[in-house]
Coordinates of all heavy atoms in Angstrom, one line a residue:
N7 N 5.0 -16.0 8.9 CA 6.4 -15.8 9.2 C 7.2 -15.3 8.0 O 8.3 -15.8 7.6 CB 7.1 -17.1 9.7 CG 6.5 -17.5 11.1 OD1 6.2 -16.7 11.9 ND2 6.4 -18.8 11.3
A8 N 6.6 -14.3 7.3 CA 7.3 -13.7 6.1 C 8.4 -12.8 6.5 O 8.5 -12.4 7.7 CB 6.3 -12.9 5.3
S9 N 9.3 -12.6 5.6 CA 10.5 -11.8 5.9 C 10.1 -10.4 6.0 O 9.0 -9.9 5.6 CB 11.6 -12.0 4.8 OG 11.0 -11.5 3.5
L10 N 11.1 -9.6 6.5 CA 10.8 -8.1 6.7 C 10.7 -7.4 5.4 O 9.8 -6.5 5.3 CB 12.0 -7.5 7.5 CG 11.9 -6.0 7.8 CD1 10.7 -5.7 8.6 CD2 13.2 -5.5 8.5
T11 N 11.4 -7.9 4.4 CA 11.3 -7.2 3.1 C 9.9 -7.5 2.5 O 9.3 -6.5 1.9 CB 12.4 -7.8 2.1 OG1 13.6 -7.6 2.7 CG2 12.3 -7.1 0.8
T12 N 9.4 -8.7 2.6 CA 8.1 -9.0 2.1 C 7.0 -8.2 2.9 O 6.1 -7.6 2.3 CB 7.8 -10.5 2.3 OG1 8.8 -11.2 1.6 CG2 6.4 -10.8 1.7
T13 N 7.2 -8.0 4.2 CA 6.2 -7.3 5.0 C 6.2 -5.8 4.6 O 5.1 -5.2 4.4 CB 6.5 -7.4 6.5 OG1 6.6 -8.8 6.8 CG2 5.5 -6.6 7.3
I14 N 7.4 -5.2 4.4 CA 7.5 -3.8 4.0 C 6.9 -3.6 2.6 O 6.2 -2.6 2.3 CB 8.9 -3.3 4.1 CG1 9.4 -3.3 5.5 CG2 9.1 -1.9 3.5 CD1 10.9 -3.0 5.7
T15 N 7.2 -4.6 1.7 CA 6.7 -4.4 0.3 C 5.1 -4.5 0.3 O 4.5 -3.7 -0.3 CB 7.3 -5.5 -0.6 OG1 8.7 -5.5 -0.5 CG2 6.8 -5.4 -2.0
L16 N 4.6 -5.4 1.1 CA 3.1 -5.6 1.1 C 2.5 -4.4 1.7 O 1.5 -3.9 1.3 CB 2.8 -6.9 1.8 CG 1.3 -7.3 1.9 CD1 0.8 -7.4 0.5 CD2 1.0 -8.5 2.7
T17 N 3.1 -3.8 2.8 CA 2.6 -2.6 3.4 C 2.6 -1.4 2.5 O 1.7 -0.6 2.4 CB 3.4 -2.3 4.7 OG1 3.3 -3.4 5.6 CG2 2.8 -1.1 5.4
G18 N 3.7 -1.3 1.7 CA 3.8 -0.2 0.8 C 2.8 -0.3 -0.3 O 2.2 0.7 -0.8
I19 N 2.5 -1.5 -0.8 CA 1.6 -1.7 -1.9 C 0.2 -1.3 -1.4 O -0.6 -0.6 -2.1 CB 1.6 -3.2 -2.4 CG1 2.9 -3.4 -3.1 CG2 0.4 -3.4 -3.4 CD1 3.1 -4.9 -3.5
V20 N -0.2 -1.8 -0.3 CA -1.5 -1.4 0.3 C -1.7 0.0 0.5 O -2.7 0.7 0.2 CB -1.8 -2.2 1.6 CG1 -3.1 -1.7 2.3 CG2 -1.8 -3.7 1.3
A21 N -0.6 0.7 1.0 CA -0.6 2.1 1.2 C -0.8 2.9 -0.1 O -1.5 3.9 -0.2 CB 0.6 2.6 2.0
V22 N -0.1 2.5 -1.1 CA -0.2 3.1 -2.4 C -1.6 3.0 -3.0 O -2.2 3.9 -3.6 CB 0.9 2.5 -3.4 CG1 0.6 3.0 -4.8 CG2 2.3 3.0 -3.0
F23 N -2.2 1.8 -2.8 CA -3.5 1.5 -3.3 C -4.5 2.4 -2.6 O -5.5 3.0 -3.2 CB -3.9 0.0 -3.1 CG -5.2 -0.4 -3.8 CD1 -5.3 -0.5 -5.2 CD2 -6.3 -0.6 -3.0 CE1 -6.4 -0.8 -5.8 CE2 -7.5 -1.0 -3.6 CZ -7.6 -1.1 -5.1
V24 N -4.3 2.6 -1.3 CA -5.2 3.5 -0.5 C -5.1 4.9 -0.9 O -6.1 5.6 -1.1 CB -4.9 3.3 1.0 CG1 -5.8 4.3 1.8 CG2 -5.3 1.9 1.5
M25 N -3.9 5.4 -1.2 CA -3.6 6.7 -1.6 C -4.2 7.0 -3.0 O -4.8 8.0 -3.2 CB -2.1 7.0 -1.6 CG -1.6 7.3 -0.2 SD 0.1 7.9 -0.3 CE 1.0 6.5 -0.9
M26 N -4.1 6.0 -3.9 CA -4.7 6.2 -5.2 C -6.2 6.3 -5.1 O -6.8 7.2 -5.8 CB -4.2 5.0 -6.1 CG -2.8 4.9 -6.5 SD -2.4 3.5 -7.4 CE -3.5 3.6 -8.8
T27 N -6.8 5.4 -4.3 CA -8.3 5.5 -4.2 C -8.7 6.9 -3.7 O -9.6 7.5 -4.2 CB -8.8 4.4 -3.3 OG1 -8.3 3.1 -3.8 CG2 -10.3 4.4 -3.2
M28 N -8.1 7.3 -2.6 CA -8.5 8.6 -2.0 C -8.1 9.8 -2.9 O -8.8 10.8 -2.9 CB -7.9 8.7 -0.6 CG -8.3 7.6 0.3 SD -7.9 7.9 2.0 CE -9.2 9.1 2.4
A29 N -7.0 9.7 -3.6 CA -6.6 10.7 -4.5 C -7.7 10.9 -5.7 O -8.0 12.0 -6.1 CB -5.3 10.5 -5.1
V30 N -8.1 9.8 -6.2 CA -9.2 9.8 -7.2 C -10.5 10.4 -6.7 O -11.1 11.3 -7.3 CB -9.4 8.4 -7.8 CG1 -10.7 8.4 -8.7 CG2 -8.2 7.9 -8.5
A31 N -10.9 10.0 -5.4 CA -12.0 10.6 -4.8 C -11.9 12.1 -4.6 O -12.8 13.0 -4.9 CB -12.4 9.9 -3.5
L32 N -10.7 12.5 -4.2 CA -10.4 14.0 -4.0 C -10.4 14.7 -5.3 O -11.0 15.8 -5.4 CB -9.1 14.2 -3.3 CG -9.0 13.9 -1.8 CD1 -7.6 14.1 -1.3 CD2 -10.0 14.7 -1.0
S33 N -9.9 14.1 -6.3 CA -9.9 14.8 -7.7 C -11.3 14.9 -8.2 O -11.7 16.0 -8.7 CB -9.1 13.9 -8.6 OG -9.1 14.5 -9.9

């Protein structure tokens, strides 16, 4: 039952981590 701010922050962190991983692989 986390707040909306916590949910958005956690979703953004995971998305950034996924983008970094795939960006390194593409590079």
Side-chain angles (χ1 to χ4, degrees):
N7 292 324
S9 62
L10 181 60
T11 305
T12 304
T13 303
I14 294 175
T15 303
L16 186 58
T17 302
I19 292 174
V20 173
V22 170
F23 190 72
V24 174
M25 281 190 292
M26 291 176 57
T27 304
M28 302 195 72
V30 172
L32 287 178
S33 177

